[in-house]
Amino acid sequence: MGGFPILSLMLLVPLVGGLACFFLDAKAARVVALTATLIDLALGIALWANYDIGGAQWQFTERAELFAGFSYALGIDGIALLLIVLSVFLMPICILASWEAIEERVGEYMAAFLFMELLMIGVFAAQDLLLFYIFFEAGLIPMYLIIGIWGGKDRIYASYKFFLYTLLGSVVMLVAMLWMIGEAGTTDIPTLMQYDFPVGAQTWLFLAFFASFAVKMPMWPVHTWLPDAHVQAPTAGSVILAGVLLKMGGYGFIRFSLPMFPEASAQLAWLIFALSMIAVVVTSLIALVQHDMKKLIAYSSVAHMAIVTIGLFAFNVQGLEGAMIVMLSHGLVSGALFLCVGVIYDRLHTREIDRYGGLSINMPKYALFFMLFTMASIGLPGTSSFVGEFLSLAGTYQVSTFVTLVCTTGIILGAAYMLYLYWRVAFGVQKNADAAAMPDLNAREWLMLAPIAAAVLWMGVYPESFLAPMRKDIAALDARVARAKPAFDSALAAARPEQVRKEPANAMPHAEGAGEGEGH
Amino acid sequence: MDLQHSLALIVPEEILSVGGLVLLLAAAWLGDKASRGISVAAVVVIAAAAAFTVPVLCGGNMGADTQAFFGQLRVDAFAAYSKLLIYAAAAAALMIAPRFFDRWNAMRAEYPVLIVFAVLGMSIMVSASDLMALYIGLEMNSLAAYVLAAFLRTDSRSEEAGLKYFVLGALASGILLYGMSLTYGFAGTTSFEGIRAALSGGLSTGALFGLIFVLAGLAFKIAAVPFHMWTPDVYEGAPTPVTTFFATAPKVAAVSLLMRVSLDAFGGHADAWRQVVTFAALASIVVGALGAIGQDNIKRLLAYSSINNVGFILVGLAAATVEGASAMLVYLVIYVAMSIGSFVAVLMLRDAEGNQIESIADLAGLSRTNPAIAWCLLLLMLSLAGIPPLFGFWGKLVVFKAAVDAGMVLLATIAIAASVIGAFYYLKVGKVMFFDEPANKAQGRNDWAHWTLLIASTVFISPLGYLLTGWLGNLADAASAALFLTA
C-alpha cells in the first residue's frame, strides 16, 4: 500500500458517515451507517491482506505534527491489526442488529456507533501516548449516550456507573502518562516501549495503568459496572462493549504495562494471578444463578477475561498468544451470544430465562447457532476459545500449577452455566405459548450470525491465520519482558521456563535476533 | 521613559477611555433608543483597542521597553495576551445583550458604556506592575461590575446580586488594601520590581501577612474557595449577559493579576505562597464539584463549575514555573470559550412566553425539542468536565503536565481524581437533556448573534480545537516568558 494513509481513511469514513447521520432520517441513516461500516470492513481486510508478516514491526505508519506536545501518529503491529480487524468485522453486524430494534432517534444512534468505531480503531492504531489516551477516553461519550438513550429500564444508573467508573480508573493513568512523558521526553509509544523506567517508579506507574485497564478489562473486584452496562445497553451496544471495549484493557496490558514496566509487571504478577483466580471462580458461580440471559453472559465475560490476564502475566510466548486468541475469540463469541439474546429479545422483549423454553422446536436454525456459540464459549475443541484457553493455560502451567488448576475450573464451571442456560432456553417443553410461537431466524439475522460462526470455526480449526501476524510481535514482547521474568515455583522441574524458552515450539528462524534488538 | 513613549504604549487604553467617554455623551444625548447603535460602537472601540494590542503579543514584547509611566504599567506580551482575551469576552457580552434585555424593555445605553469602562479597568489590571496601578484598575472594573450586576432594575434578584457583589467586593478590596499596605510597609515600595528586590533577603512575618492578605483579596476576585460564597448568588441573580461577562473577562483579568503578583512581585518566595495556592486549588475543585451536585438552577450550576475551573487554573500557578504560567494562559482561553458557549446556550432557552428557562428540570428532553442547542450544550458540558476528545481536556492536560513536571505529582493526582466528581454533575445536565422525557418548555426563537457565538464556541471546544494547540501554545509561551523575564 506504500504511503497510502489507509488508517486515516479508516478513521475518516466513520467520521463522515457519523456526521451525515445527524442530518438524515431513519432509513437513510441506516443505509449510510451500513455502507460506512462495510467500507471500513473492506479497508480492514485490505489492511490485513497487505500486512507484511515478518516485516517491519510497525507498518502503515503515518505521522503529522498537528498538535503541540503530541503528534498525530498512527501505525499498527500484528496485535493491533487483529484487534482492528475484529472491530471492523463486528461493526456492520452491530448495525444490522439495530436495523429494526432501534426505532427512535435512529440518526443519532447510528452516528454514535460510527463515532464509536472511529474511536476503537483510533485506540488500536494510535502510536502516540496522548493520542491513545484521547481515543481511549473519548469512547465513554458515545457509549454513555448509547446506554442512556436507547437502553433498558435502569439505563440511567447504568450509564452513570459506566461513565464514572471507567473515568475514575483512567484519570490516574493520565497523571502517570504525564510523568512518563516528562521522564522519557517523548510521547512516541514505540520509543516508550523500549525505554527503561527506573524500577522504583515502575511500580507506581504500573499501578496507575492497572487502575485504568483493570476497570476496562474488567477484573474482579472492579467488574461491577459491566453487568449493569451490558444488561441495560441495547443489543448492539452489548456486542461492542463485550466485543471490543473490553479488549482495550487487554490491549493496554500488552501495549503498555508489560513492555514499559516489565519489572513491576513481574513483581505484581501475584496480584494479577490472585484477582484472576478469584474472578474465574466467583464470577462463574455468580453466572450460574442468573435469571437474566445478558447478565449471565456478562459474568461469563469477566471469567473469560481472567483467562486473558493470567496468560498475559505468564511471561511466555504461549501465555501471550493464548491471551490474544482468547481476546479475539471472546470478542466473536460473546458478541454472538449477545446477538442471540437480542434475536429472541426482539421477539418477546424479555431477557428472563424462564420465559423461554423449547426453542429448538420452533426455532431450529436459531437453536443451532446458539448451540455453536454456547460450545464455543465453553471452549470445545474446534472452536476458537479452545485454542486460546488451551494456549493461555498451557503458558500459565509453566509458571504456576496452582493458578492453572484454579483457573481451569473456570472451563468446567463455564460448561455448567452455559449448558444450563442452553438447556433452559432451547430444550425442554415449550412452556410459554408466546415463546413457542416465535418465528425462526430471518435473512437479516442469518447475515449477522453466519459470518461470526464461520470466523469462530476458522479460528478454531486453523488458528495459524491469526497467530502468524502477531508471532513476531509476541516474540519481541517476550524478549522484552524476559529480563524481568520472575522465578516461579513451577512444578515442572524437568522443563523449567528458561529451558522451554530456548526453543519455543513455534519459534521463527529470525525471532531470536529481532528479540535481542528489541530488548536492549 | 519619557511621556511620549508611555503614551504610545497605552494606545489601547487611550482608545477605550476616549471611546467610553464619547459613547457616554452619545448615550446621554441620544437616549436608550440608540442603545443598539452604541453597543455596536462599543464593539468597534474594543476591536480597535484589540488591533493595537495584537502586535505587542505577536512581537513577544518584553523587557524595559514595555514599561510605561515609570514602572506603573508593563505593556508586555503577557498583558497583551490577557487583554485580547478580555476584549473578546467583552465583545461577546455586548453582542448577546440587546436581544436579552429587549424582553423587559430594559436595554439601556449605559450597558455598553459600563462594559467599556470595565474593560478599561481590566486592561489596567493586567498591565499593572505597581500596587497603585493594580488597585486603580481593579476598582475601576469593580465599580462598573457592581452596576452591571444590578442592571435589571425591576428584578429583585438582580438588585440583590448587585448589592451582594458590592458589599462582599468592598470587603475583599479592604482585605487587599490591607495586604498592600503591609507589603508597602515592609518593602518600602509599591512597585513589583521594588518589592521583589526588597524581599529578596527573606520574607519577614509582616511581609508574609501582607502576601497572604493580598492573595486573599485576589482569591475573592477569582472566586477561589474559601472566598467563593458570592459567586452562585451573583451569577444567578445578575442578568445572563452580565453573568457571561462576569464569568469570563473579570476572571481572566483577576487570574492574570494574581499571576503577575505572585510570580513577579512575590516570585522569589514561591514556597511561601505555594501552600496557600495549593489549598485554594484543591478546595476550589472539590467545593466547586460537590456544590454543583445539588443545584437545580443551571446558572448556579455554571457558577460552581467556574469555581471548579478556577481550581484547575490554580494548579498551574502552584507549579510556579514558566510552563505552569503558560498552561494557565492556555486554560484561560479554553475556559472563556466554554463559559461563553454555555451561558449563551442558557440565554437561548426561552419558553413560549419568552421567559428565560433556568431550571435544570425544564431542560428535560431538550435533545428532541431543540437538538442543536442540546448537542452544543452537551459538548460544552463534557468539555467543562475535561473529557477528551473535547478541547476542555487540553486545558486540564497542560495544567497537570506543568504540575507533574514541577514535581507535584500528588497535587495533580488528587486534583484529577476530584475532577471525576465534577463529571457527575456535568453528566446530569446531559442526562436531563438526552435521557428524560421532553418537558416541551424551551421553544423561543433566537437571533443570529446567539447562534454565531454558540456555534463558534462549540466548534472551538470540539476536537477541531486541537489544531490550534501549536499556535495557542506559542502565544502563551511568549506571554509567560515576558512574565518571567525578571524571575
Side-chain angles (χ1 to χ4, degrees):
Chain A
M1 284 308 245
F4 185 69
I6 184 166
L7 287 171
S8 288
L9 192 63
M10 288 179 78
L11 297 178
L12 190 68
V13 169
L15 178 69
V16 172
L19 289 176
C21 282
F22 270 115
F23 303 98
L24 294 172
D25 63 354
K27 240 180 213 161
R30 288 187 186 115
V31 175
V32 166
L34 188 63
T35 316
T37 49
L38 284 174
I39 294 175
D40 250 20
L41 176 60
L43 288 170
I45 293 169
L47 197 68
W48 196 359
N50 287 287
Y51 184 82
D52 177 15
I53 294 171
Q57 187 183 8
W58 302 101
Q59 303 187 15
F60 305 103
T61 50
E62 296 170 33
R63 178 172 282 273
E65 304 298 333
L66 293 178
F67 318 111
F70 70 110
S71 32
Y72 174 79
L74 301 178
I76 51 165
D77 62 354
I79 296 168
L81 168 78
L82 291 172
L83 289 166
I84 289 178
V85 171
L86 174 69
S87 312
V88 295
F89 176 71
L90 287 177
M91 275 312 289
I93 295 171
C94 285
I95 302 291
L96 279 178
S98 321
W99 203 262
E100 284 159 7
I102 302 295
E103 289 160 349
E104 279 189 9
R105 304 162 85 175
V106 177
E108 286 165 325
Y109 179 87
M110 294 300 170
F113 263 88
L114 288 173
F115 288 134
M116 202 68 229
E117 177 169 30
L118 156 76
L119 298 171
M120 292 182 313
I121 298 172
V123 164
F124 298 129
Q127 280 212 302
D128 185 288
L129 204 55
L130 291 177
L131 192 67
F132 167 83
Y133 185 82
I134 289 173
F135 282 127
F136 188 77
E137 280 294 277
L140 296 183
I141 300 175
M143 207 61 213
Y144 166 72
L145 294 174
I146 289 170
I147 298 176
I149 300 181
W150 297 278
K153 202 157 62 42
D154 288 327
R155 60 188 200 276
I156 290 165
Y157 171 76
S159 63
Y160 270 63
K161 192 169 179 179
F162 164 75
F163 196 105
L164 296 175
Y165 228 95
T166 30
L167 182 65
L168 184 63
S170 302
V171 289
V172 186
M173 179 172 78
L174 180 63
V175 176
M177 283 181 169
L178 293 176
W179 189 88
M180 287 161 65
I181 293 168
E183 164 83 15
T186 177
T187 55
D188 187 48
I189 289 177
T191 315
L192 285 167
M193 284 169 72
Q194 306 301 329
Y195 189 89
D196 294 319
F197 289 99
V199 176
Q202 276 189 22
T203 310
W204 294 105
L205 296 173
F206 180 88
L207 287 174
F209 277 72
F210 178 73
S212 175
F213 298 143
V215 170
K216 206 78 166 188
M217 192 90 190
M219 292 178 72
W220 187 89
V222 285
H223 65 284
T224 60
W225 63 271
L226 184 74
D228 287 311
H230 266 321
V231 170
Q232 299 305 327
T235 303
S238 301
V239 174
I240 282 300
L241 254 179
V244 185
L245 292 194
L246 301 192
K247 308 303 168 290
M248 288 183 186
Y251 177 74
F253 280 124
I254 292 189
R255 181 64 77 235
F256 299 96
S257 301
L258 284 170
M260 292 186 194
F261 327 120
E263 277 84 9
S265 301
Q267 280 165 15
L268 292 167
W270 63 268
L271 175 71
I272 308 275
F273 284 153
L275 295 181
S276 303
M277 285 191 291
I278 298 173
V280 166
V281 177
V282 170
T283 54
S284 296
L285 290 175
I286 296 174
L288 209 48
V289 296
Q290 293 305 316
H291 300 290
D292 183 311
M293 283 189 265
K294 268 185 156 182
K295 226 170 197 164
L296 191 151
I297 301 168
Y299 279 109
S300 85
S301 290
V302 183
H304 282 117
M305 286 299 116
I307 306 283
V308 174
T309 42
I310 56 161
L312 290 177
F313 286 83
F315 282 81
N316 54 39
V317 171
Q318 284 88 345
L320 289 167
E321 284 184 342
M324 270 305 292
I325 295 287
V326 173
M327 286 211 282
L328 295 172
S329 149
H330 176 263
L332 296 171
V333 173
S334 72
L337 285 172
F338 279 119
L339 288 173
C340 286
V341 174
V343 165
I344 51 177
Y345 179 81
D346 287 346
R347 288 164 171 69
L348 212 58
H349 295 284
T350 176
R351 291 179 303 263
E352 275 294 305
I353 297 172
D354 288 344
R355 293 279 288 108
Y356 298 95
L359 289 189
S360 55
I361 298 169
N362 58 319
M363 297 175 76
K365 293 177 187 131
Y366 169 79
L368 184 68
F369 273 118
F370 194 15
M371 184 171 74
L372 173 69
F373 296 126
T374 302
M375 293 306 160
S377 177
I378 295 167
L380 197 75
T383 62
S384 53
S385 306
F386 171 74
V387 179
E389 287 178 10
F390 182 82
L391 277 172
S392 181
L393 290 168
T396 317
Y397 195 74
Q398 295 174 30
V399 295
S400 170
T401 39
F402 177 67
V403 173
T404 317
L405 185 71
V406 174
C407 289
T408 312
T409 60
I411 297 180
I412 300 161
L413 288 169
Y417 60 73
M418 284 313 293
L419 290 174
Y420 185 44
L421 168 74
Y422 189 76
W423 170 59
R424 283 180 292 173
V425 171
F427 294 155
V429 290
Q430 293 179 307
K431 53 190 167 185
N432 298 303
D434 47 0
M438 296 195 301
D440 208 348
L441 297 181
N442 60 28
R444 180 177 61 84
E445 287 155 351
W446 263 96
L447 269 180
M448 282 154 39
L449 295 174
I452 304 187
V456 166
L457 291 174
W458 180 12
M459 204 186 285
V461 174
Y462 192 66
E464 176 63 16
S465 310
F466 302 88
L467 286 169
M470 63 185 182
R471 177 159 295 134
K472 195 158 159 282
D473 302 300
I474 296 282
L477 178 59
D478 185 53
R480 169 80 181 154
V481 298
R483 66 181 158 126
K485 187 179 285 214
F488 287 108
D489 56 342
S490 171
L492 289 182
R496 284 206 306 277
E498 56 269 31
Q499 287 171 326
V500 175
R501 273 284 301 122
K502 269 181 204 155
E503 274 182 70
N506 53 359
M508 305 232 311
H510 55 286
E512 199 71 35
E516 261 177 34
E518 306 296 345
H520 299 283
Chain B
M1 284 300 140
D2 55 356
L3 187 63
Q4 259 179 336
H5 179 68
S6 297
L7 287 177
L9 282 173
I10 59 158
V11 172
E13 284 78 8
E14 285 155 13
I15 293 175
L16 286 171
S17 31
V18 174
L21 290 171
V22 170
L23 289 178
L24 188 60
L25 288 176
W29 256 278
L30 299 174
D32 291 342
K33 291 188 297 296
S35 53
R36 260 173 203 265
I38 292 175
S39 291
V40 174
V43 174
V44 173
V45 167
I46 290 175
F52 282 94
T53 314
V54 171
V56 179
L57 178 58
C58 294
N61 292 9
M62 57 176 90
D65 280 350
T66 59
Q67 301 220 345
F69 301 109
F70 308 100
Q72 287 286 327
L73 297 177
R74 196 178 297 151
V75 192
D76 53 9
F78 174 74
Y81 186 98
S82 309
K83 272 193 233 176
L84 285 175
L85 199 48
I86 291 165
Y87 296 159
L94 284 169
M95 278 169 72
I96 57 178
R99 168 90 195 189
F100 177 86
F101 288 115
D102 279 352
R103 156 104 188 114
W104 293 274
N105 284 325
M107 183 61 200
R108 291 195 309 277
E110 293 99 306
Y111 180 82
V113 178
L114 283 167
I115 296 255
V116 170
F117 283 128
V119 168
L120 174 61
M122 288 184 276
S123 263
I124 297 173
M125 273 165 86
V126 297
S127 2
S129 62
D130 187 291
L131 293 177
M132 297 315 293
L134 178 163
Y135 193 71
I136 291 171
L138 191 70
E139 284 305 292
M140 188 156 184
N141 162 46
S142 299
L143 284 177
Y146 301 146
V147 184
L148 281 171
F151 199 75
L152 216 52
R153 284 184 299 200
T154 49
D155 183 4
S156 61
R157 282 193 313 168
S158 177
E159 287 168 19
E160 183 194 327
L163 193 63
K164 228 172 222 171
Y165 197 22
F166 174 68
V167 173
L168 291 170
L171 178 71
S173 292
I175 295 173
L176 182 66
L177 265 185
Y178 185 56
M180 280 160 53
S181 64
L182 277 174
T183 310
Y184 174 56
F186 283 90
T189 170
T190 55
S191 92
F192 290 176
E193 220 170 306
I195 294 170
R196 194 186 171 85
L199 298 180
S200 61
L203 202 63
S204 64
T205 314
L208 182 64
F209 265 83
L211 165 64
I212 304 276
F213 275 105
V214 169
L215 288 184
L218 292 175
F220 179 90
K221 296 291 173 190
I222 61 171
V225 175
F227 303 98
H228 65 288
M229 288 82 82
W230 57 277
T231 325
D233 293 336
V234 172
Y235 278 27
E236 184 193 4
T240 310
V242 177
T243 313
T244 315
F245 183 64
F246 284 174
T248 53
K251 202 149 265 187
V252 175
V255 168
S256 309
L257 187 59
L258 180 64
M259 288 166 75
R260 183 92 85 176
V261 170
S262 25
L263 296 171
D264 188 356
F266 296 103
H269 297 283
D271 293 332
W273 50 259
R274 185 176 276 132
Q275 292 171 19
V276 181
V277 170
T278 306
F279 169 76
L282 288 179
S284 301
I285 292 170
V286 172
V287 171
L290 292 178
I293 291 176
Q295 302 305 323
D296 46 19
N297 180 300
I298 182 97
K299 278 167 82 180
R300 284 184 84 86
L301 185 131
L302 287 171
Y304 278 103
S305 149
S306 88
I307 296 170
N308 182 261
N309 275 288
V310 161
F312 289 111
I313 295 178
L314 289 179
V315 171
L317 185 61
T321 54
V322 187
E323 196 193 356
S326 167
M328 292 171 76
L329 292 173
V330 171
Y331 197 112
L332 276 175
V333 175
I334 300 170
Y335 166 75
V336 165
M338 295 188 295
S339 298
I340 290 178
S342 13
F343 277 110
V344 168
V346 171
L347 196 71
M348 292 167 76
L349 301 171
R350 293 198 198 78
D351 64 13
E353 281 105 56
N355 294 315
Q356 290 289 315
I357 291 176
E358 287 177 6
S359 150
I360 294 177
D362 288 344
L363 297 180
L366 191 69
S367 62
R368 294 198 216 181
T369 54
N370 218 329
I373 297 181
W375 276 101
C376 288
L377 197 53
L378 177 75
L379 293 180
L380 287 160
M381 286 292 139
L382 293 171
S383 178
L384 279 166
I387 311 290
L390 300 165
F391 202 31
F393 168 70
W394 182 250
K396 290 207 167 61
L397 181 83
V398 285
V399 165
F400 288 133
K401 178 88 168 60
V404 170
D405 286 351
M408 310 181 79
V409 179
L410 193 62
L411 170 67
T413 311
I414 298 174
I416 203 166
S419 77
V420 178
I421 311 174
F424 177 75
Y425 66 86
Y426 294 117
L427 283 184
K428 188 174 93 174
V429 178
K431 172 234 158 200
V432 171
M433 290 192 303
F434 279 81
F435 304 168
D436 290 357
E437 287 304 310
N440 284 320
K441 284 272 177 130
Q443 42 197 226
R445 301 186 143 272
N446 289 287
D447 68 344
W448 60 271
H450 294 171
W451 280 114
T452 312
L453 278 175
L454 180 64
I455 289 169
S457 47
T458 310
V459 169
F460 182 77
I461 58 103
S462 76
L464 292 176
Y466 285 89
L467 297 174
L468 299 175
T469 49
W471 176 76
L472 202 58
N474 288 340
L475 290 184
D477 284 345
S480 58
L483 181 66
F484 269 86
L485 190 64
T486 47

